[in-house]
Structure formats: C-alpha cells, structure tokens
Amino acid sequence: MEENRYFRLKGRAEHSDALRPVRVCLISETPSGSERFAVSATAAEKAAGPVYTFEHGGARFCVAVGETVRIGREGDFVYELVLDPRAETEICLRTPYGEIGARVRVHDLQCVREGETLSLECVYVLDFSGDRQQHRLRFSARPQSARGKEMV
C-alpha cells in the first residue's frame, strides 16, 4: 500500500503471510439503520496491504486494504464491495431472493495506518438504478495479545 491522499502510513508492518491475531471493529451506517460489532480476527500482510478475516452473525468477512478497499462477505448475503476513491465500481449483492446490482461511488475515503494498527473511514453511495443510498463505514484493527486481550 503506497501513501497517497487517501492512505497515510506511519511505520509499515513487514510483508508476511503469517497470520496474527487482531481485534477489529466495524460500524456501518445506512438509511435503514446501523450495525456495529467488534470481534477477534486474523490479519496477514500481503504485498498490496493488510488482509483481515473474521466472522460475525453467521457470515464470514474479508477486508483487504491497499490502493482500494475490498470488503467481501459470505453467508446468506454474498458480495464484494470495492471502494475506489478514483473510480466508480459495481457490486452484485446475492441474496436468498436473487441478485441485486448497484454502482458504488466513494465520496470520502480516509485510512491511517500506524504499524499494525489501522483506522479506516469511508462515505459512499450505492446507486440502485437511480435509487441512491448514502452509507458510512468505519473499520479499525488493533493487535491482540496472546491471551486475546487488546493491546494498549
């Protein structure tokens, strides 16, 4: 992950496929409500940036942070949301009732990384054929100690 106007780095973790325990917090605010949770996760340092995997509410998530932010979800609802501050992207939401397509436009994306701690905030719009919904996403990841407690 290169430093640019969207991503600021202060110290960089070494590239490694080794998994390390982290604590992640995800807050999603949408027109229909909000969801927030904090769970244990694993992190791996890839060439493009960190990748976090975790489970919550019967779903499996993968968050990859690099030049873009990719959020994948598997479960009753399946999607891969690509947040790119430089280009409009598309998403296909697969639900038990069928597929729903939308365009994704990022209005603001800020990511700060200090060593192994990451903080991300994004405001984006999902455009369902003219029905636009603004979303706000906040995601953070911090190292965990061997006992599973968050490190201060």
Side-chain angles (χ1 to χ4, degrees):
M1 176 170 60
E2 295 179 22
E3 186 167 350
N4 59 40
R5 69 176 244 185
Y6 307 104
F7 300 98
R8 292 190 312 276
L9 306 175
K10 293 182 181 174
R12 180 175 170 94
E14 294 291 319
H15 170 69
S16 168
D17 286 331
L19 298 178
R20 62 185 192 282
V22 295
R23 184 86 174 158
V24 298
C25 178
L26 188 139
I27 301 170
S28 175
E29 298 169 352
T30 69
S32 59
S34 64
E35 179 179 23
R36 58 180 59 213
F37 59 86
V39 296
S40 294
T42 58
E45 192 65 33
K46 302 295 183 179
V51 177
Y52 305 94
T53 56
F54 53 93
E55 293 183 13
H56 174 71
R60 180 174 164 83
F61 293 86
C62 180
V63 176
V65 180
E67 285 298 311
T68 62
V69 175
R70 293 178 176 271
I71 302 171
R73 179 176 193 231
E74 296 175 348
D76 288 346
F77 295 92
V78 177
Y79 61 78
E80 182 180 31
L81 174 65
V82 178
L83 300 170
D84 186 340
R86 295 170 297 274
E88 183 176 277
T89 61
E90 294 184 1
I91 185 172
C92 180
L93 302 151
R94 291 182 186 90
T95 75
Y97 311 104
E99 295 183 356
I100 303 167
R103 295 190 180 280
V104 182
R105 285 189 209 98
V106 172
H107 287 276
D108 185 42
L109 176 62
Q110 299 298 318
C111 183
V112 177
R113 182 162 182 205
E114 296 184 28
E116 293 182 357
T117 299
L118 180 126
S119 188
L120 170 95
E121 188 163 345
C122 184
V123 175
Y124 62 96
V125 171
L126 292 181
D127 184 342
F128 298 94
S129 299
D131 179 20
R132 294 177 181 88
Q133 298 178 356
Q134 182 167 310
H135 295 250
R136 177 184 208 123
L137 172 77
R138 286 180 269 174
F139 177 82
S140 64
R142 299 178 185 273
Q144 275 188 341
S145 70
R147 293 187 311 229
K149 303 248 186 215
E150 195 171 319
M151 295 177 64
V152 180

